[in-house]
Amino acid sequence: MDESFEALLSILTAVRNSLMQRRLGATVDQVNLEDGATRSAEVMVSYNDRIWTVTDENKKWSFTPATGGRIEYATGKVEQTPRDRDDYLPPEIALFFPLSMRIWGGIADDFRVAGAEAEDEGVRLALVALKDPRFTGSAFVNTKYGVMTEYVTPARTFHVRDLNWLPRL
C-alpha cells in the first residue's frame, strides 16, 4: 500500500477515535503573516457532549447543542449566533476536527492535500491552493489526539500547544 495513503488512513482513524474521547484542552496560537499580529486563545472541546469554547483576551465563544453559539465580549455585550450557523467552527476549533478544515479539495475548500507522510506522532500534510497552485501550505495532524496541531498557509499560521485530556465534568 502507498505510504501517503496509509498516512491519510491513520488520520481518519485518529479523528474517529478522538470523537469517542473525553474533553481536550489546549492553547492555540495564531500569527497573521501579513502584519505579524499574534493572538492566543484557550480552547476546550468536549467530543462526547458536543460542546466547545474559545477564550481570548476579547471574548469567549462557546457552543452547546442546547443553546447554539454564543459570544460573550469583554465589554459585556453578548451575541447569540443564529441556529442555522450551528455547523460553523471558528478556526481555533476546526483544528480539533481536522476533516472540517478547508484543505481536502472540496467545493468550499481553499487547499487540497498534495502529499501525506507519517512523522513522529502524526502525519505531515503538504497543501496546494486550489485557485493558485503557486501558494502552498502544510499541516500536521497529531494522531494520538486526532487534532491538527499545526496549520500553515501563506496568510497565517496556527499552532496548538499544551494539548491535554481534561477531567470529565
Side-chain angles (χ1 to χ4, degrees):
M1 196 179 306
D2 177 275
E3 286 181 27
S4 276
F5 183 71
E6 284 193 36
L8 289 171
L9 286 178
S10 71
I11 290 174
L12 290 174
T13 300
V15 168
R16 287 180 51 117
N17 288 344
S18 73
L19 297 178
M20 295 181 269
Q21 299 297 326
R22 56 190 189 270
R23 299 179 328 136
L24 274 175
T27 301
V28 177
D29 298 320
Q30 179 182 163
V31 178
N32 181 326
L33 297 176
E34 294 173 8
D35 62 9
T38 61
R39 194 176 88 202
S40 292
E42 298 301 315
V43 172
M44 187 282 303
V45 173
S46 177
Y47 295 104
N48 287 336
D49 300 320
R50 300 183 322 152
I51 63 174
W52 52 258
T53 61
V54 178
T55 307
D56 64 24
E57 66 275 2
N58 299 317
K59 67 185 171 307
K60 177 181 179 180
W61 193 342
S62 59
F63 176 85
T64 70
T67 62
R70 177 182 170 95
I71 305 171
E72 300 170 45
Y73 294 93
T75 61
K77 179 183 172 189
V78 175
E79 184 179 322
Q80 191 71 36
T81 58
R83 290 310 302 252
D84 65 343
R85 297 298 311 175
D86 279 1
D87 62 338
Y88 176 75
L89 298 174
E92 298 90 346
I93 295 296
L95 296 165
F96 288 74
F97 300 89
L99 298 181
S100 70
M101 295 293 290
R102 297 174 53 161
I103 64 168
W104 303 104
I107 292 170
D109 290 351
D110 301 315
F111 290 89
R112 68 175 177 80
V113 175
E117 184 175 330
E119 178 182 298
D120 299 325
E121 286 191 358
V123 175
R124 169 91 36 210
L125 301 173
L127 307 174
V128 175
L130 292 174
K131 290 184 179 170
D132 188 343
R134 292 177 297 169
F135 295 107
T136 61
S138 65
F140 183 81
V141 178
N142 180 309
T143 51
K144 175 181 177 184
Y145 294 100
V147 172
M148 187 174 287
T149 56
E150 182 182 303
Y151 179 53
V152 178
T153 71
R156 56 189 176 162
T157 67
F158 292 89
H159 291 278
V160 176
R161 61 182 167 87
D162 304 326
L163 184 61
N164 61 79
W165 297 114
L166 300 173
R168 296 190 192 279
L169 292 176

